Amino acid sequence: MRKLIDVEDNKRMRPAKGKTGESMKHESAAKQVAGTAVYVDDMPELPNTLHVAVGGSQYAHAFIKSMDLSAVEKAPGVVKVITVKDVPGHTDIGPVFPGDPVLVESECEYIGQPIFAIAAETHEQAKAAVGLAQIQYKELEPTLTVDKAMKDQFFVRPTHSHQRGDADKALSESEHVISADFYVKGQEHFYLEGQISTVVPTEDGGMDVFTSSQHPTEVQKLVAEVLDISINKVNVEVRRMGGGFGGKETQAAPLACIASLLAHHTKRPVKYRMSRGDDMIMTGKRHAFQNDYKVGFNEQGLIQGAVINVAGQCGNSPDLSDAIVDRAMFHSDNAYYLNNATITGYRCKTHTVSATAYRGFGGPQGVITAELMMDDIARHLGEDPLTIRKRNLYGVKHDSMRLEDGSIDPRNETHYGQTVEQEVLPELISQLEESSEYWKRREEIKQFNANSAFLKKGLALTPVKFGISFTVQFLNQAGALVHVYTDGSIQVNHGGTEMGQGLYVKVAQVVANEFQVDLDTIQVTATRTDKVSNTSPTAASSGSDLNGMAARDACLRIKAGMIKYAAELNGTSEDKIRFESNHVVAVKADGEEVWTPFAEFTQNAYTARVPLFSSGHYQTPKIHYDRNTGKGRPFYYFANGASVSEVIVDTLTGEYKVTRVDILQDVGASLNPAIDIGQIEGAYIQGMGWLTTEDLVWSDNGRLLSNGPATYKIPAVGDTPIDFRVKLMEQLPNKEETIYRSKAVGEPPFMLGISAWSALRDAVSSMAEYKFSPPMNAPATPECVLNAVNETRKHIANS
Ligand code: MTE
Ligand code: HPA
Ligand code: MOS
């Protein structure tokens, strides 16, 4: 066995390696490359394991008149078939509000909605039995579009507004008023690992659940509720996910619940792994939004007031839509001071699968509306869009803009009353403008376009200001558990889950930093509800902020005991003990330094009966928000960034390429620059995919047609920008006391992909000397771009 202190070299009398701030590789990187990282489907199957298939509704909206499952029950290999009548406990598994039946009782609300579930000896046998069900439906009229839902006022949750000042009055007094509407489609998560849960009944009537979920605690609670048992009988473990992207915040739970119900009835282990097709049809995606704005501004393009409506297509149930549409509303300003604003969010009900969390959580659909507005203002005034963007940034003061008392408007209060305290974007944009040579390239592109009949280039710089915190206050807490063993090795566990974002390595680096020991002495362990309980989902980009702090708190508690012991042992005071270079150092009264290797020290401390493990907890300070008044400080701080995208468009076919991307992102003092850059690259590409190639298509009766990789195109390696430059903003620690002054990175850069969409519109607009803003919904597929080209040609012909 390798000991940490057995040879001189291993005494590690040198600065610890792998602390926070260093670019350490992802904790699973080598295992993922070698194929030895274990996902739920890779776990050795227990003997007698049964496999699940689910029968779903064939209609978007219908009543079940009758159901005959006898042929299903008799099919080869089938061991158990259940309907809602076989659920001993709760039948509704809605995460926040009711509306999500675990199995439909009578009214079906989307195609694919689970009605019955089968456990069979093999997955193939379960799948084959599904088609044998005899179900008679009474068809009802479905609502399949936002337009229809808006017309019928058909909502999953009440409408809600934010208001600052008097937007109508400001619009009536503005020199210029323009308006537009815009539709942006949803997005399939397309995590590489599909949804899965394996459950094993325990001897105490409970369940051990192995799942791919961002929210183990919610899975634990819902499994307990459907089985009608107490929460303490259910254990949930998540070692890692092969991607989640928000799609496993609530959508993993139904699989765990259905598998648990079947395990409860059969007393056998049950595995429920969805095929890709089922996953795409049966689980929620990003919300499509139908948005519109009306904005008033002066001759310089400074916004005086705006009325913005955002209407999210929520699908059949509330799920997380209240908070998601709220976040779209919170981000409808993006980085710009709207001054007088009325922002209203609608939560439209449709008979499609319930839409859910997806990277940005509604924020992107708000941000893109603000960016659409910026481009339109610029073209209306004949200015460069970047000029208009910079003028309207929060915190940029203008002599002409004054408050009623005559003083200059600080222009730093959002429409929900939060002050933007750390103004990052003016400086960040000016650095990016320079490093990307925006103005030089703008001139070159104008020249190119003037001399090129059909190929047109486009350029756009768009910023992002993203609010960090769950907007539901109680979720902003975390717990951790740290164990120090007698060979000096350490285990850390916390409530956050690993989905590829690098949370585990970042938290391990926090622990390494606290004890000043090498990162390779720290073992991260699977997230488990029996190690840290009552956890929040790993979401809202808050994983490292919350769990990093909780782990640090646990370390500080352990260190306090160690320090007390070391001081007593060395006859010195506690302030003379420090952790340095893999050692514990005591400075005696006479100034002599006693260096004890960390491993040796822990052995001694144990022998002296010092506790070497602790839990830790953290709750985000300063945040509050009153949803009734729409005012408060929902976000602890903002993460900022900007990107410049350049594209080339073939105006004969609408085809295009993203040729160069420059990004500058504010991550505060980075916990791990390599991981952060990876997050930014991935987020940009995912955002670009949402707005360019990822085209969800439903049939007229509500059936998803783009239900596999052949019909739904996520960005591939060939879509990577040819020239891709990503940098972190330097020397800009978070103004707030986050974990070592870092900032969240998971979601914010997703919205940098908006610059690719804006650049496409810029390229088309060049055909009309940049004086016309072509309508261009998203995703801007080649067909959509070609349509924008045709609209632009029509505009030229008519003017
Ligand atoms: N990165 C990878 N590789 N895989 C993922 O599933 N999810 C994103 C982001 N980055 C995701 C990812 C989303 S939606 C969120 S909210 C954050 O990671 C969650 O992790 P964090 O809070 O630890 O950043
Ligand atoms: N972001 C992500 N997930 C969430 C949030 C949020 O703001 N609130 C509840 N779940
Ligand atoms: Mo991320 S959408 O908050 O899981």
Side-chain angles (χ1 to χ4, degrees), residues 739-792:
I739 183 75
Y740 309 134
R741 306 269 174 184
S742 63
K743 282 192 180 181
V745 70
E747 296 167 288
F750 179 90
M751 283 147 277
L752 298 175
I754 291 171
S755 63
W757 172 84
S758 178
L760 288 170
R761 211 160 163 246
D762 182 67
V764 178
S765 167
S766 75
M767 298 171 65
E769 312 299 329
Y770 300 100
K771 290 195 183 93
F772 175 64
S773 269
M776 200 169 81
N777 287 335
T781 57
E783 293 90 322
C784 177
V785 172
L786 191 60
N787 192 45
V789 167
N790 291 337
E791 290 298 318
T792 307

Short mmCIF file of all heavy atoms in Angstrom, two decimals, residues 739-792:
data_model
loop_
_atom_site.label_atom_id
_atom_site.label_comp_id
_atom_site.label_asym_id
_atom_site.label_seq_id
_atom_site.Cartn_x
_atom_site.Cartn_y
_atom_site.Cartn_z
N ILE A 739 -16.71 32.02 -2.49
CA ILE A 739 -15.58 31.15 -2.19
C ILE A 739 -14.32 31.67 -2.91
O ILE A 739 -14.25 31.66 -4.14
CB ILE A 739 -15.91 29.66 -2.52
CG1 ILE A 739 -14.75 28.75 -2.14
CG2 ILE A 739 -16.35 29.44 -3.96
CD1 ILE A 739 -14.64 28.53 -0.65
N TYR A 740 -13.39 32.16 -2.14
CA TYR A 740 -12.15 32.77 -2.62
C TYR A 740 -12.38 33.80 -3.72
O TYR A 740 -11.57 33.93 -4.65
CB TYR A 740 -11.15 31.70 -3.09
CG TYR A 740 -10.92 30.59 -2.09
CD1 TYR A 740 -10.92 29.26 -2.49
CD2 TYR A 740 -10.70 30.87 -0.74
CE1 TYR A 740 -10.72 28.24 -1.57
CE2 TYR A 740 -10.50 29.86 0.18
CZ TYR A 740 -10.51 28.55 -0.24
OH TYR A 740 -10.32 27.53 0.66
N ARG A 741 -13.55 34.48 -3.66
CA ARG A 741 -13.88 35.58 -4.58
C ARG A 741 -14.02 35.12 -6.03
O ARG A 741 -13.79 35.87 -6.98
CB ARG A 741 -12.83 36.69 -4.52
CG ARG A 741 -12.59 37.23 -3.12
CD ARG A 741 -13.49 38.40 -2.83
NE ARG A 741 -13.34 38.83 -1.44
CZ ARG A 741 -14.06 39.79 -0.89
NH1 ARG A 741 -14.96 40.43 -1.60
NH2 ARG A 741 -13.89 40.11 0.38
N SER A 742 -14.41 33.85 -6.20
CA SER A 742 -14.66 33.36 -7.56
C SER A 742 -16.08 33.74 -7.97
O SER A 742 -16.87 34.23 -7.16
CB SER A 742 -14.49 31.85 -7.60
OG SER A 742 -15.44 31.24 -6.75
N LYS A 743 -16.40 33.47 -9.23
CA LYS A 743 -17.77 33.64 -9.72
C LYS A 743 -18.23 32.38 -10.43
O LYS A 743 -17.41 31.64 -10.98
CB LYS A 743 -17.85 34.82 -10.70
CG LYS A 743 -17.87 36.18 -10.02
CD LYS A 743 -18.26 37.29 -10.98
CE LYS A 743 -18.26 38.63 -10.26
NZ LYS A 743 -18.66 39.75 -11.16
N ALA A 744 -19.53 32.20 -10.43
CA ALA A 744 -20.14 31.06 -11.13
C ALA A 744 -19.84 31.16 -12.63
O ALA A 744 -19.73 32.25 -13.18
CB ALA A 744 -21.64 31.07 -10.90
N VAL A 745 -19.78 29.98 -13.27
CA VAL A 745 -19.43 29.97 -14.70
C VAL A 745 -20.33 29.06 -15.53
O VAL A 745 -20.34 29.15 -16.76
CB VAL A 745 -17.94 29.56 -14.87
CG1 VAL A 745 -17.75 28.08 -14.52
CG2 VAL A 745 -17.42 29.85 -16.26
N GLY A 746 -21.12 28.20 -14.90
CA GLY A 746 -21.83 27.15 -15.63
C GLY A 746 -22.77 27.63 -16.72
O GLY A 746 -22.71 27.19 -17.86
N GLU A 747 -23.69 28.53 -16.37
CA GLU A 747 -24.69 28.97 -17.33
C GLU A 747 -24.36 30.27 -18.07
O GLU A 747 -24.67 30.38 -19.27
CB GLU A 747 -26.05 29.16 -16.64
CG GLU A 747 -26.66 27.90 -16.08
CD GLU A 747 -27.81 28.22 -15.14
OE1 GLU A 747 -27.55 28.70 -14.02
OE2 GLU A 747 -28.96 28.01 -15.54
N PRO A 748 -23.78 31.28 -17.40
CA PRO A 748 -23.69 32.59 -18.05
C PRO A 748 -23.16 32.56 -19.49
O PRO A 748 -23.75 33.18 -20.36
CB PRO A 748 -22.79 33.39 -17.11
CG PRO A 748 -22.99 32.76 -15.78
CD PRO A 748 -23.24 31.31 -16.02
N PRO A 749 -22.07 31.82 -19.77
CA PRO A 749 -21.54 31.91 -21.14
C PRO A 749 -22.43 31.24 -22.20
O PRO A 749 -22.17 31.42 -23.39
CB PRO A 749 -20.17 31.21 -21.06
CG PRO A 749 -20.16 30.46 -19.79
CD PRO A 749 -21.19 31.03 -18.89
N PHE A 750 -23.47 30.52 -21.77
CA PHE A 750 -24.41 29.97 -22.76
C PHE A 750 -24.95 31.10 -23.64
O PHE A 750 -25.11 30.95 -24.85
CB PHE A 750 -25.57 29.27 -22.04
CG PHE A 750 -26.61 28.70 -22.96
CD1 PHE A 750 -26.51 27.40 -23.45
CD2 PHE A 750 -27.70 29.46 -23.36
CE1 PHE A 750 -27.47 26.88 -24.32
CE2 PHE A 750 -28.66 28.96 -24.22
CZ PHE A 750 -28.54 27.66 -24.71
N MET A 751 -25.21 32.24 -23.00
CA MET A 751 -25.84 33.36 -23.70
C MET A 751 -24.87 34.11 -24.61
O MET A 751 -25.29 34.98 -25.39
CB MET A 751 -26.49 34.31 -22.70
CG MET A 751 -27.80 33.73 -22.18
SD MET A 751 -28.18 34.16 -20.48
CE MET A 751 -27.23 32.92 -19.58
N LEU A 752 -23.58 33.75 -24.54
CA LEU A 752 -22.63 34.36 -25.48
C LEU A 752 -22.91 33.89 -26.90
O LEU A 752 -22.54 34.55 -27.87
CB LEU A 752 -21.19 34.01 -25.08
CG LEU A 752 -20.75 34.53 -23.71
CD1 LEU A 752 -19.35 34.02 -23.37
CD2 LEU A 752 -20.78 36.06 -23.67
N GLY A 753 -23.58 32.74 -27.03
CA GLY A 753 -23.96 32.23 -28.35
C GLY A 753 -24.88 33.18 -29.11
O GLY A 753 -25.03 33.07 -30.33
N ILE A 754 -25.49 34.11 -28.38
CA ILE A 754 -26.40 35.07 -29.03
C ILE A 754 -25.65 35.92 -30.06
O ILE A 754 -26.23 36.35 -31.06
CB ILE A 754 -27.09 35.95 -27.95
CG1 ILE A 754 -28.07 35.08 -27.14
CG2 ILE A 754 -27.82 37.14 -28.57
CD1 ILE A 754 -28.66 35.76 -25.92
N SER A 755 -24.34 36.12 -29.84
CA SER A 755 -23.60 36.94 -30.82
C SER A 755 -23.55 36.26 -32.19
O SER A 755 -23.46 36.94 -33.21
CB SER A 755 -22.19 37.29 -30.31
OG SER A 755 -21.42 36.13 -30.16
N ALA A 756 -23.61 34.93 -32.23
CA ALA A 756 -23.62 34.25 -33.53
C ALA A 756 -24.92 34.55 -34.27
O ALA A 756 -24.93 34.87 -35.47
CB ALA A 756 -23.47 32.73 -33.35
N TRP A 757 -26.03 34.51 -33.54
CA TRP A 757 -27.34 34.82 -34.13
C TRP A 757 -27.39 36.29 -34.59
O TRP A 757 -27.84 36.60 -35.70
CB TRP A 757 -28.42 34.51 -33.09
CG TRP A 757 -29.79 34.95 -33.46
CD1 TRP A 757 -30.69 34.28 -34.24
CD2 TRP A 757 -30.42 36.18 -33.09
NE1 TRP A 757 -31.84 35.02 -34.37
CE2 TRP A 757 -31.70 36.18 -33.67
CE3 TRP A 757 -30.01 37.29 -32.32
CZ2 TRP A 757 -32.59 37.25 -33.51
CZ3 TRP A 757 -30.90 38.33 -32.16
CH2 TRP A 757 -32.17 38.31 -32.74
N SER A 758 -26.89 37.17 -33.74
CA SER A 758 -26.90 38.60 -34.06
C SER A 758 -25.99 38.89 -35.27
O SER A 758 -26.32 39.75 -36.10
CB SER A 758 -26.44 39.38 -32.82
OG SER A 758 -26.39 40.74 -33.07
N ALA A 759 -24.89 38.15 -35.37
CA ALA A 759 -23.98 38.35 -36.52
C ALA A 759 -24.63 37.89 -37.82
O ALA A 759 -24.42 38.48 -38.88
CB ALA A 759 -22.66 37.62 -36.28
N LEU A 760 -25.42 36.82 -37.74
CA LEU A 760 -26.14 36.36 -38.94
C LEU A 760 -27.10 37.45 -39.42
O LEU A 760 -27.20 37.75 -40.62
CB LEU A 760 -26.91 35.07 -38.65
CG LEU A 760 -26.07 33.81 -38.48
CD1 LEU A 760 -26.92 32.65 -37.97
CD2 LEU A 760 -25.41 33.43 -39.81
N ARG A 761 -27.79 38.04 -38.45
CA ARG A 761 -28.74 39.10 -38.80
C ARG A 761 -28.00 40.32 -39.36
O ARG A 761 -28.46 40.98 -40.30
CB ARG A 761 -29.50 39.47 -37.52
CG ARG A 761 -30.90 39.94 -37.76
CD ARG A 761 -31.71 39.81 -36.48
NE ARG A 761 -32.91 40.63 -36.60
CZ ARG A 761 -33.16 41.69 -35.86
NH1 ARG A 761 -32.30 42.07 -34.91
NH2 ARG A 761 -34.26 42.39 -36.03
N ASP A 762 -26.81 40.56 -38.80
CA ASP A 762 -25.97 41.67 -39.26
C ASP A 762 -25.55 41.45 -40.72
O ASP A 762 -25.59 42.38 -41.54
CB ASP A 762 -24.74 41.78 -38.35
CG ASP A 762 -23.83 42.93 -38.71
OD1 ASP A 762 -24.26 44.08 -38.54
OD2 ASP A 762 -22.71 42.67 -39.19
N ALA A 763 -25.17 40.20 -41.02
CA ALA A 763 -24.73 39.90 -42.40
C ALA A 763 -25.87 40.15 -43.39
O ALA A 763 -25.67 40.76 -44.44
CB ALA A 763 -24.26 38.44 -42.49
N VAL A 764 -27.07 39.70 -43.03
CA VAL A 764 -28.22 39.89 -43.94
C VAL A 764 -28.56 41.38 -44.04
O VAL A 764 -28.82 41.90 -45.13
CB VAL A 764 -29.44 39.07 -43.45
CG1 VAL A 764 -30.63 39.30 -44.36
CG2 VAL A 764 -29.08 37.57 -43.40
N SER A 765 -28.49 42.05 -42.92
CA SER A 765 -28.82 43.48 -42.89
C SER A 765 -27.88 44.30 -43.79
O SER A 765 -28.27 45.36 -44.30
CB SER A 765 -28.73 43.96 -41.43
OG SER A 765 -28.74 45.34 -41.36
N SER A 766 -26.66 43.80 -44.00
CA SER A 766 -25.70 44.53 -44.85
C SER A 766 -26.25 44.70 -46.26
O SER A 766 -25.90 45.63 -46.97
CB SER A 766 -24.36 43.80 -44.89
OG SER A 766 -24.46 42.63 -45.72
N MET A 767 -27.14 43.79 -46.67
CA MET A 767 -27.72 43.88 -48.02
C MET A 767 -28.54 45.16 -48.17
O MET A 767 -28.73 45.65 -49.29
CB MET A 767 -28.63 42.67 -48.29
CG MET A 767 -27.89 41.34 -48.26
SD MET A 767 -29.05 39.96 -48.32
CE MET A 767 -29.73 40.18 -49.95
N ALA A 768 -29.04 45.70 -47.05
CA ALA A 768 -29.82 46.94 -47.09
C ALA A 768 -29.04 48.07 -46.42
O ALA A 768 -29.63 48.92 -45.74
CB ALA A 768 -31.16 46.73 -46.41
N GLU A 769 -27.73 48.05 -46.60
CA GLU A 769 -26.85 49.09 -46.02
C GLU A 769 -27.06 49.23 -44.51
O GLU A 769 -26.95 50.33 -43.97
CB GLU A 769 -27.11 50.46 -46.68
CG GLU A 769 -27.16 50.46 -48.20
CD GLU A 769 -25.85 50.00 -48.83
OE1 GLU A 769 -24.79 50.24 -48.22
OE2 GLU A 769 -25.91 49.38 -49.90
N TYR A 770 -27.39 48.16 -43.85
CA TYR A 770 -27.58 48.14 -42.39
C TYR A 770 -28.72 49.05 -41.93
O TYR A 770 -28.74 49.49 -40.79
CB TYR A 770 -26.28 48.53 -41.66
CG TYR A 770 -25.12 47.61 -41.95
CD1 TYR A 770 -24.14 47.98 -42.88
CD2 TYR A 770 -25.00 46.38 -41.33
CE1 TYR A 770 -23.08 47.14 -43.17
CE2 TYR A 770 -23.93 45.54 -41.61
CZ TYR A 770 -22.98 45.91 -42.54
OH TYR A 770 -21.93 45.08 -42.81
N LYS A 771 -29.65 49.35 -42.85
CA LYS A 771 -30.74 50.25 -42.43
C LYS A 771 -32.02 49.48 -42.15
O LYS A 771 -33.02 50.03 -41.75
CB LYS A 771 -30.99 51.29 -43.52
CG LYS A 771 -29.85 52.29 -43.60
CD LYS A 771 -30.22 53.53 -44.40
CE LYS A 771 -29.04 54.46 -44.53
NZ LYS A 771 -28.27 54.23 -45.78
N PHE A 772 -31.99 48.17 -42.38
CA PHE A 772 -33.18 47.35 -42.18
C PHE A 772 -32.82 46.19 -41.27
O PHE A 772 -31.78 45.54 -41.45
CB PHE A 772 -33.67 46.85 -43.54
CG PHE A 772 -34.82 45.88 -43.46
CD1 PHE A 772 -36.06 46.28 -42.96
CD2 PHE A 772 -34.68 44.57 -43.91
CE1 PHE A 772 -37.11 45.38 -42.89
CE2 PHE A 772 -35.73 43.66 -43.85
CZ PHE A 772 -36.95 44.07 -43.34
N SER A 773 -33.66 45.96 -40.27
CA SER A 773 -33.46 44.83 -39.36
C SER A 773 -34.32 43.67 -39.85
O SER A 773 -35.52 43.66 -39.61
CB SER A 773 -33.91 45.20 -37.95
OG SER A 773 -32.85 45.72 -37.21
N PRO A 774 -33.74 42.70 -40.53
CA PRO A 774 -34.59 41.62 -41.03
C PRO A 774 -35.19 40.83 -39.89
O PRO A 774 -34.51 40.56 -38.89
CB PRO A 774 -33.62 40.76 -41.84
CG PRO A 774 -32.27 41.08 -41.33
CD PRO A 774 -32.31 42.48 -40.80
N PRO A 775 -36.47 40.45 -40.01
CA PRO A 775 -37.03 39.57 -38.99
C PRO A 775 -36.31 38.23 -39.07
O PRO A 775 -36.07 37.71 -40.16
CB PRO A 775 -38.51 39.43 -39.41
CG PRO A 775 -38.56 39.82 -40.83
CD PRO A 775 -37.40 40.72 -41.11
N MET A 776 -35.89 37.71 -37.94
CA MET A 776 -35.17 36.43 -37.95
C MET A 776 -35.40 35.70 -36.64
O MET A 776 -34.75 35.95 -35.64
CB MET A 776 -33.68 36.65 -38.19
CG MET A 776 -32.98 35.40 -38.69
SD MET A 776 -31.30 35.75 -39.26
CE MET A 776 -30.45 35.77 -37.71
N ASN A 777 -36.38 34.80 -36.66
CA ASN A 777 -36.64 34.01 -35.47
C ASN A 777 -35.51 33.01 -35.24
O ASN A 777 -34.61 32.87 -36.07
CB ASN A 777 -37.98 33.26 -35.61
CG ASN A 777 -39.16 34.22 -35.49
OD1 ASN A 777 -39.05 35.28 -34.87
ND2 ASN A 777 -40.28 33.85 -36.08
N ALA A 778 -35.56 32.34 -34.11
CA ALA A 778 -34.51 31.37 -33.80
C ALA A 778 -35.14 29.99 -33.61
O ALA A 778 -36.24 29.90 -33.09
CB ALA A 778 -33.77 31.80 -32.55
N PRO A 779 -34.45 28.93 -34.02
CA PRO A 779 -33.09 28.92 -34.56
C PRO A 779 -33.03 29.47 -35.99
O PRO A 779 -33.94 29.25 -36.78
CB PRO A 779 -32.72 27.44 -34.55
CG PRO A 779 -34.02 26.72 -34.69
CD PRO A 779 -35.02 27.56 -33.95
N ALA A 780 -31.93 30.16 -36.26
CA ALA A 780 -31.69 30.71 -37.59
C ALA A 780 -31.06 29.61 -38.45
O ALA A 780 -29.87 29.63 -38.77
CB ALA A 780 -30.77 31.92 -37.49
N THR A 781 -31.88 28.65 -38.81
CA THR A 781 -31.43 27.59 -39.72
C THR A 781 -31.19 28.22 -41.09
O THR A 781 -31.65 29.34 -41.34
CB THR A 781 -32.52 26.52 -39.86
OG1 THR A 781 -33.71 27.18 -40.31
CG2 THR A 781 -32.81 25.83 -38.54
N PRO A 782 -30.51 27.53 -42.00
CA PRO A 782 -30.32 28.11 -43.33
C PRO A 782 -31.64 28.56 -43.97
O PRO A 782 -31.70 29.63 -44.58
CB PRO A 782 -29.66 26.96 -44.11
CG PRO A 782 -28.88 26.23 -43.06
CD PRO A 782 -29.72 26.30 -41.82
N GLU A 783 -32.72 27.79 -43.79
CA GLU A 783 -34.02 28.19 -44.35
C GLU A 783 -34.46 29.53 -43.76
O GLU A 783 -34.97 30.41 -44.47
CB GLU A 783 -35.11 27.15 -44.02
CG GLU A 783 -34.95 25.81 -44.67
CD GLU A 783 -34.12 24.84 -43.83
OE1 GLU A 783 -33.13 25.26 -43.19
OE2 GLU A 783 -34.47 23.65 -43.81
N CYS A 784 -34.28 29.66 -42.45
CA CYS A 784 -34.70 30.87 -41.76
C CYS A 784 -33.86 32.07 -42.22
O CYS A 784 -34.38 33.17 -42.42
CB CYS A 784 -34.56 30.62 -40.27
SG CYS A 784 -34.94 32.02 -39.26
N VAL A 785 -32.55 31.85 -42.42
CA VAL A 785 -31.67 32.92 -42.89
C VAL A 785 -32.07 33.31 -44.32
O VAL A 785 -32.14 34.49 -44.67
CB VAL A 785 -30.19 32.49 -42.82
CG1 VAL A 785 -29.29 33.52 -43.50
CG2 VAL A 785 -29.77 32.31 -41.36
N LEU A 786 -32.37 32.31 -45.14
CA LEU A 786 -32.78 32.59 -46.51
C LEU A 786 -34.07 33.41 -46.52
O LEU A 786 -34.24 34.34 -47.31
CB LEU A 786 -32.98 31.28 -47.28
CG LEU A 786 -33.15 31.43 -48.79
CD1 LEU A 786 -31.93 32.09 -49.42
CD2 LEU A 786 -33.40 30.06 -49.42
N ASN A 787 -34.96 33.08 -45.61
CA ASN A 787 -36.20 33.84 -45.47
C ASN A 787 -35.89 35.31 -45.11
O ASN A 787 -36.49 36.23 -45.67
CB ASN A 787 -37.07 33.18 -44.41
CG ASN A 787 -38.47 33.72 -44.42
OD1 ASN A 787 -39.05 33.88 -45.49
ND2 ASN A 787 -38.97 34.04 -43.25
N ALA A 788 -34.94 35.51 -44.20
CA ALA A 788 -34.54 36.87 -43.82
C ALA A 788 -33.94 37.61 -45.02
O ALA A 788 -34.17 38.81 -45.21
CB ALA A 788 -33.54 36.82 -42.66
N VAL A 789 -33.19 36.87 -45.83
CA VAL A 789 -32.61 37.45 -47.05
C VAL A 789 -33.75 37.92 -47.97
O VAL A 789 -33.73 39.05 -48.49
CB VAL A 789 -31.71 36.42 -47.78
CG1 VAL A 789 -31.37 36.87 -49.19
CG2 VAL A 789 -30.44 36.16 -46.96
N ASN A 790 -34.75 37.06 -48.16
CA ASN A 790 -35.87 37.40 -49.04
C ASN A 790 -36.66 38.61 -48.51
O ASN A 790 -37.06 39.48 -49.28
CB ASN A 790 -36.80 36.19 -49.22
CG ASN A 790 -36.10 35.11 -50.03
OD1 ASN A 790 -35.17 35.39 -50.79
ND2 ASN A 790 -36.54 33.86 -49.86
N GLU A 791 -36.87 38.64 -47.19
CA GLU A 791 -37.56 39.80 -46.59
C GLU A 791 -36.76 41.07 -46.84
O GLU A 791 -37.33 42.14 -47.08
CB GLU A 791 -37.76 39.58 -45.08
CG GLU A 791 -38.76 38.50 -44.72
CD GLU A 791 -40.17 38.81 -45.21
OE1 GLU A 791 -40.59 39.97 -45.09
OE2 GLU A 791 -40.84 37.89 -45.74
N THR A 792 -35.45 40.95 -46.75
CA THR A 792 -34.59 42.12 -46.95
C THR A 792 -34.68 42.58 -48.41
O THR A 792 -34.76 43.79 -48.69
CB THR A 792 -33.14 41.78 -46.57
OG1 THR A 792 -33.14 41.24 -45.25
CG2 THR A 792 -32.24 43.01 -46.60
#
